[in-house]
Amino acid sequence: MSYNLAWIVAIVAASVLGVLAYLALKRVKLLAYCVISIGGFWALWPWEFEDGFYAPLFAVFFYQTFLEADVDPAAVTAFGVLGTFCIGLVFLAILLLRRASRSKKKSV
């Protein structure tokens, strides 16, 4: 029961932080969506922690990097960086497509 409750708390907390990020960045909506996507990825992606239990990616990253001495955090770090990079590439492509379509409309 506490395992499920912890995931519910993580989902609610990520949702509240996503709403706050949107409200803070609502003038630049694409940046707000990018921040929410990266934050949601780190906060809600399940990563196997111990004995078949899963924890959010950021929790496993910090635990393995700073608190556990005999575990190599390379896998979780590589996955987190790769995921963040891919999300950033998607939003960069969206930004470039938006600018290209705006410049086309101005030239016509």
Side-chain angles (χ1 to χ4, degrees):
M1 178 66 182
S2 63
Y3 181 71
N4 294 332
L5 182 63
W7 272 104
I8 290 171
V9 168
I11 291 168
V12 170
S15 300
V16 168
L17 288 175
V19 168
L20 291 175
Y22 179 78
L23 292 175
L25 299 170
K26 66 181 169 184
R27 289 188 184 194
V28 188
K29 289 188 179 181
L30 189 62
L31 179 62
Y33 296 146
C34 182
V35 168
I36 292 168
S37 297
I38 292 172
F41 168 71
W42 278 91
L44 298 176
W45 192 274
W47 192 268
E48 189 170 1
F49 186 50
E50 286 181 355
D51 301 329
F53 288 106
Y54 289 86
L57 185 64
F58 82 92
V60 175
F61 170 76
F62 282 115
Y63 182 75
Q64 287 184 353
T65 303
F66 300 114
L67 300 176
E68 198 165 292
D70 49 326
V71 173
D72 185 23
V76 69
T77 304
F79 184 77
V81 169
L82 182 64
T84 303
F85 181 72
C86 290
I87 292 169
L89 281 180
V90 167
F91 279 96
L92 180 64
I94 292 170
L95 177 67
L96 293 176
L97 289 173
R98 281 187 175 183
R99 291 206 177 177
S101 67
R102 284 183 189 160
S103 65
K104 249 186 200 178
K105 288 180 184 178
K106 288 182 181 179
S107 66
V108 172

